[in-house]
């Protein structure tokens, strides 16, 4: 399994303050299966991944972002790529906060500075 997918699942679990045991109980997967998924030593079906996303209250798009947008990001400017890289380390509520902050900043820029 892709390391970023594994990392995001682990981050989402921790953001919900769940242990691997808690996630195991909620998902019906064994604790060892959760551990293997989070460390990238085991792949999982899309159905199971979606089930985990539902439990963790994150979108499948968030978990799969790097895989789904690999072609798109290669055409981005280095600045946009840096912003994306920095924000992928945040949970969804933090990402929303950053997006709202960027929107406010842009709205206060003068047309001459754009």
């Amino acid at each position: 399994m892709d390391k970023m997918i594994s990392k995001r699942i682990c981050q989402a679990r921790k953001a919900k303050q769940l242990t691997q045991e808690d996630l195991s109980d909620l998902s019906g997967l064994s604790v060892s299966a959760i551990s293997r998924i989070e460390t990238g030593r085991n792949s999982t079906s899309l159905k199971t991944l979606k089930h985990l996303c539902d439990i963790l209250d994150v979108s499948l798009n968030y978990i799969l972002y790097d895989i789904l947008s690999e072609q798109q990001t290669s055409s981005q400017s280095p600045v946009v790529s840096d912003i994306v890289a920095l924000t992928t380390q945040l949970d969804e509520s933090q990402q929303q906060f950053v997006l709202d902050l960027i929107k406010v900043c842009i709205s206060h820029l003068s047309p001459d500075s754009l």
Side-chain angles (χ1 to χ4, degrees), residues 34-54:
I34 299 293
S35 176
R36 288 190 306 272
I37 290 168
E38 287 187 358
T39 57
R41 291 181 288 156
N42 199 29
S43 61
T44 188
S45 69
L46 191 56
K47 181 179 178 181
T48 299
L49 195 56
K50 174 68 173 125
H51 181 58
L52 291 173
C53 288
D54 291 344

Side-chain angles (χ1 to χ4, degrees), residues 8-101:
R8 288 193 180 118
I9 291 170
C10 183
Q11 287 173 335
R13 176 183 57 78
K14 289 177 180 178
K16 293 224 13 136
Q17 299 181 337
L18 296 173
T19 64
Q20 287 183 343
E21 291 81 10
D22 295 332
L23 186 54
S24 169
D25 290 341
L26 293 168
S27 68
L29 299 171
S30 68
V31 175
S32 61
I34 299 293
S35 176
R36 288 190 306 272
I37 290 168
E38 287 187 358
T39 57
R41 291 181 288 156
N42 199 29
S43 61
T44 188
S45 69
L46 191 56
K47 181 179 178 181
T48 299
L49 195 56
K50 174 68 173 125
H51 181 58
L52 291 173
C53 288
D54 291 344
I55 293 167
L56 297 171
D57 295 323
V58 294
S59 70
L60 196 53
N61 287 341
Y62 167 74
I63 296 295
L64 298 175
Y65 177 77
D66 289 333
I67 292 172
L68 297 177
S69 65
E70 198 170 278
Q71 291 178 337
Q72 178 187 2
T73 57
S74 65
S75 64
Q76 289 176 342
S77 75
V79 173
V80 172
S81 294
D82 287 347
I83 292 169
V84 170
L86 288 170
T87 58
T88 57
Q89 300 169 18
L90 305 174
D91 65 35
E92 279 190 281
S93 65
Q94 292 169 324
Q95 289 173 343
Q96 186 61 53
F97 175 79
V98 171
L99 176 61
D100 293 342
L101 185 62

